[in-house]
Amino acid sequence: MGWKVTVCAFVVAICGLNASGQVINDPENVTASIGDDVNLEWTFDANGEARLFEVWKKVPSTALASRSGGNTGPLQYFDQNQNGGNRKFSVIGAATLFVRDVQKEDNGPYQLSITFGNGVDLTSTAYLIVNYPPSIDGITASPSSTVREGSSLTLMCNADGNPDPAVRWTRQNGALGKAATIDANSGNLVFPNITLADKGIYTCTVENIIKGDPQAASKDISINVLKSTATSLYPAPRSGVGRLQACMYVMCLLLSIFLAGPRQS
């Protein structure tokens, strides 16, 4: 019976060591603006175990740095980590990743992985949120910026920015048409049944706030509305002579119907 207790105690000790002996704590999300320098600070509990190998990367696959042998081990930085002579990413102290001169493309998750002396591998993720002013790549008109009256038309403002910018539509030299609506979710300007009066130049303005200061960008698009091609059964003549001829044609048509009389069954 005693040997069973010894074996169970050994198994519990091994499992406990691998399951909870080492811990890496996820950092708080870090928010920065263009040009800032920031630290992604990981903390961990090695529980007395040596750190055999550490690697920092930008998820999903961009390796930034690695180190063997803990704090005193040599750091290896990778080629994509160079930035005009000033290292873009640096490892400081036990596990802090320093990011210099933050740019839009630095936004995203970063990962630290540690292999401990007992063979346990642990990974933790930190998120760098980069705020940047809005911009507009262009305005898309669907189906086209030239449509016929009565058609549907949607204007889409292709904007970028973080935080997500608010979208506002205005019209030069006039208010938006009564039928025009702004989709609350997409920010698109929608004309379900466009009229000749909706022709004009429209401006998309996008806005967000960076460090308490409003930021904005705008772009214009010209919309042309063509008159409908639908015609009546008897189109209106363009001259007095033509109107007289049309009247005579109608009168003759009615007279022929009257003289023909009802059909014999």
Side-chain angles (χ1 to χ4, degrees), residues 60-212:
S61 59
T62 304
L64 304 174
S66 65
R67 178 169 61 190
S68 301
N71 291 3
T72 59
L75 277 161
Q76 177 184 359
Y77 293 103
F78 300 94
D79 291 341
Q80 62 266 32
N81 192 8
Q82 299 297 329
N83 183 26
N86 293 322
R87 196 172 294 283
K88 176 75 175 179
F89 300 96
S90 302
V91 175
I92 302 172
T96 297
L97 183 65
F98 172 75
V99 186
R100 183 193 304 276
D101 188 25
V102 166
Q103 297 298 313
K104 177 179 173 180
E105 59 269 18
D106 297 325
N107 185 81
Y110 292 77
Q111 206 171 72
L112 167 64
S113 298
I114 302 177
T115 299
F116 293 93
N118 61 349
V120 172
D121 294 310
L122 294 178
T123 297
S124 171
T125 301
Y127 290 86
L128 174 56
I129 302 168
V130 181
N131 289 334
Y132 51 92
S135 61
I136 301 175
D137 294 333
I139 300 177
T140 302
S142 179
S144 171
S145 58
T146 298
V147 292
R148 291 198 177 275
E149 62 176 325
S151 302
S152 62
L153 173 67
T154 300
L155 299 182
M156 295 165 282
C157 197
N158 304 318
D160 185 26
N162 197 35
D164 288 337
V167 180
R168 179 166 52 90
W169 289 93
T170 54
R171 182 184 179 187
Q172 293 186 14
N173 303 320
L176 297 179
K178 294 181 179 180
T181 59
I182 299 176
D183 186 280
N185 295 320
S186 65
N188 295 340
L189 181 61
V190 181
F191 300 84
N193 186 11
I194 201 165
T195 67
L196 292 173
D198 292 320
K199 177 181 178 179
I201 298 175
Y202 291 81
T203 301
C204 173
T205 301
V206 292
E207 300 172 308
N208 67 7
I209 297 177
I210 306 295
K211 292 184 175 180

